[in-house]
């Protein structure tokens, strides 16, 4: 099981990391790569309906990219904390020292 | 897969909210019953929700040169069945709409529908089918998580195509455009979600096998108490 878990983790990491080496920005183009798919969908919407204006704005937006990454980090930390607590609890209970 | 705030015409926003509401109400009822009748399962409920929090915060690079994130809904669905993860997905989407300006309140119904509801139902259907076909439990979890993730992005593409049909090609042409952004980007990410779901399930099986067995047993349709 340990071996399988290691392979699962390595495979997941490989699939995530490989695109960083395979994909190159188009030559002579300063366009950013690895932008969000959500943003690309917005561009398509603008192409399909140039007159469309979003009719509602977010109540609050993170004031900077830094704050946004803080909150994304918080989201991941909450999730990882919950999983870690649960696994740690059961692990501790299944092999009491 | 977040449809951004204000990016669905009002009628669509209301329609998807109305479509999601009964599923969510069912989920809340299931969740309340689970907490009441099986309070010992709260820890696994927390871990399943935590999985959605982590996975939907990971914006991963894909071979299409853009980034997107997995959803994490499939994993908890294989433990708790459909319903409870509708609520978990909604909570995560609400967090992101309010604090990150990802998604939005007007698009919350549509996003909940694609990620939590369709994602959960597909995960459950695939998991049950894989169990009936006697696939290994690892394969069942992998397929459920992967296909649930992909289904979410397909539904998002269709939702956008319904709202923004192509002036020349109509719904089909618009769907092709949105699918080319979302679905292809998502393919490798869905595989990652499948692999990570199996990994967490393996860890739980190693240390919490009795708790998992207690959860999965009452979801058996042959059990009159389920």
């Amino acid at each position: 099981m340990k071996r399988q878990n290691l392979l699962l983790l390595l495979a997941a990491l490989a699939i995530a990391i490989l695109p960083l080496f395979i994909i190159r920005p188009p030559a002579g183009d300063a366009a950013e790569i690895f932008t969000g798919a959500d943003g690309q969908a917005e561009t398509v919407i603008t192409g399909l309906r140039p007159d469309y204006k979003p009719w509602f704005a977010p109540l609050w937006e993170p004031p900077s990219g830094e704050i946004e990454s803080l909150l994304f980090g918080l989201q991941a930390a909450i999730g990882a904390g919950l999983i870690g607590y649960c696994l740690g609890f059961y692990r501790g209970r299944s092999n009491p020292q | 897969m977040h449809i951004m705030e204000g990016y669905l015409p009002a009628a669509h926003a209301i329609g998807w909210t109305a479509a999601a509401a009964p599923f969510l109400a069912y989920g809340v009822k299931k969740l309340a019953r689970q907490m009441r009748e099986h309070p010992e399962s709260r820890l696994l409920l927390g871990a399943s929700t935590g999985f959605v929090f982590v996975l939907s915060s990971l914006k991963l690079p894909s071979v299409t040169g853009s980034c997107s994130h997995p959803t994490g809904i499939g994993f908890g669905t294989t433990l708790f069945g459909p319903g409870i993860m509708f609520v978990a997905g909604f909570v995560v989407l609400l967090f992101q709409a309010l604090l990150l300006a990802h998604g939005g309140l007007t698009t919350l119904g549509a996003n909940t529908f694609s990620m939590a509801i369709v994602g959960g139902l597909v995960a459950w259907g695939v998991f049950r089918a894989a169990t009936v076909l006697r696939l290994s439990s690892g394969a069942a979890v992998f397929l459920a998580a992967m296909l649930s993730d992909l289904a979410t992005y397909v539904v998002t593409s269709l939702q956008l195509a319904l709202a923004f049909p192509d002036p020349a090609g109509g719904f089909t042409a618009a769907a092709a455009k949105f699918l080319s952004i979302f679905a292809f980007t998502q393919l490798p990410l869905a595989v990652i979600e499948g692999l990570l779901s199996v990994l967490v399930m393996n860890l739980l099986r190693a240390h919490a096998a009795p708790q998992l067995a207690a959860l999965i047993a009452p979801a058996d349709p042959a059990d009159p108490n389920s």
Side-chain angles (χ1 to χ4, degrees), chain A residues 51-83:
Chain A
D51 59 318
Y52 186 82
K53 291 270 174 292
W55 56 282
F56 199 83
L59 300 177
W60 185 79
E61 277 189 69
S64 72
E66 302 295 309
I67 305 296
E68 187 182 351
S69 66
L70 162 74
L71 291 167
F72 261 111
L74 180 69
Q75 186 191 328
I78 293 171
L82 285 168
I83 299 172

Side-chain angles (χ1 to χ4, degrees), chain B residues 74-139:
Chain B
F75 172 74
T77 308
T78 64
L79 292 181
F80 290 98
I84 286 175
M85 296 310 286
F86 298 168
V87 185
F90 173 78
V91 169
V92 174
L93 288 168
L94 190 64
F95 177 98
Q96 294 188 314
L98 291 176
L99 294 180
L100 291 160
H102 277 244
L105 296 175
T106 61
T107 54
L108 191 57
N111 289 331
T112 303
F113 198 88
S114 62
M115 183 173 117
I117 298 168
V118 174
L121 291 175
V122 167
W124 185 240
V126 171
F127 187 68
R128 299 299 314 175
T131 310
V132 169
L133 294 173
R134 299 184 185 280
L135 298 187
S136 74
S137 53

Side-chain angles (χ1 to χ4, degrees), chain B residues 17 34 44 52 64 93 97 99 105 111 118 134 140 146 157 162 167 169 186-187 189 209 211 214 223-224:
Chain B
T17 304
Q34 181 77 24
L44 286 174
V52 184
T64 52
L93 288 168
L99 294 180
L105 296 175
N111 289 331
V118 174
R134 299 184 185 280
M146 186 187 85
S157 304
L162 266 180
Q186 204 61 24
L187 272 169
L189 308 190
Q211 289 82 3
D223 183 340

Side-chain angles (χ1 to χ4, degrees), chain B:
Chain B
M1 44 59 68
H2 298 99
I3 302 180
M4 281 177 293
E5 187 72 285
Y7 271 89
L8 276 185
H12 289 255
I14 295 167
W16 288 113
T17 304
F23 290 97
L24 209 52
Y26 168 79
V28 170
K29 222 176 96 183
K30 285 279 278 192
L31 180 62
R33 193 176 134 191
Q34 181 77 24
M35 301 274 254
R36 197 173 57 238
E37 293 175 5
H38 304 280
E40 72 287 352
S41 68
R42 275 178 303 185
L43 208 49
L44 286 174
L45 207 56
S48 303
T49 309
F51 195 69
V52 184
F53 266 86
V54 176
L55 260 70
S56 60
S57 74
L58 297 176
K59 291 190 271 188
L60 299 168
S62 176
V63 285
T64 52
S66 61
C67 278
S68 187
H69 61 85
T71 71
I73 290 287
F75 172 74
T77 308
T78 64
L79 292 181
F80 290 98
I84 286 175
M85 296 310 286
F86 298 168
V87 185
F90 173 78
V91 169
V92 174
L93 288 168
L94 190 64
F95 177 98
Q96 294 188 314
L98 291 176
L99 294 180
L100 291 160
H102 277 244
L105 296 175
T106 61
T107 54
L108 191 57
N111 289 331
T112 303
F113 198 88
S114 62
M115 183 173 117
I117 298 168
V118 174
L121 291 175
V122 167
W124 185 240
V126 171
F127 187 68
R128 299 299 314 175
T131 310
V132 169
L133 294 173
R134 299 184 185 280
L135 298 187
S136 74
S137 53
V141 170
F142 175 81
L143 288 174
M146 186 187 85
L147 294 173
S148 142
D149 180 318
L150 266 184
T152 294
Y153 283 82
V154 169
V155 171
T156 299
S157 304
L158 300 182
Q159 286 171 325
L160 284 171
L162 266 180
F164 301 100
D166 190 275
F171 170 79
T172 320
K177 283 184 186 166
F178 289 116
L179 281 168
S180 74
I181 292 175
F182 284 122
F184 292 127
T185 300
Q186 204 61 24
L187 272 169
L189 308 190
V191 174
I192 291 179
E193 170 159 359
L195 295 173
L196 293 179
S197 299
V198 177
L199 175 67
V200 174
M201 194 64 91
N202 280 346
L203 292 173
L204 281 176
R205 280 215 185 90
H207 302 296
Q211 289 82 3
L212 285 183
L215 262 191
I216 293 166
D220 191 328
D223 183 340
N225 298 321
S226 72

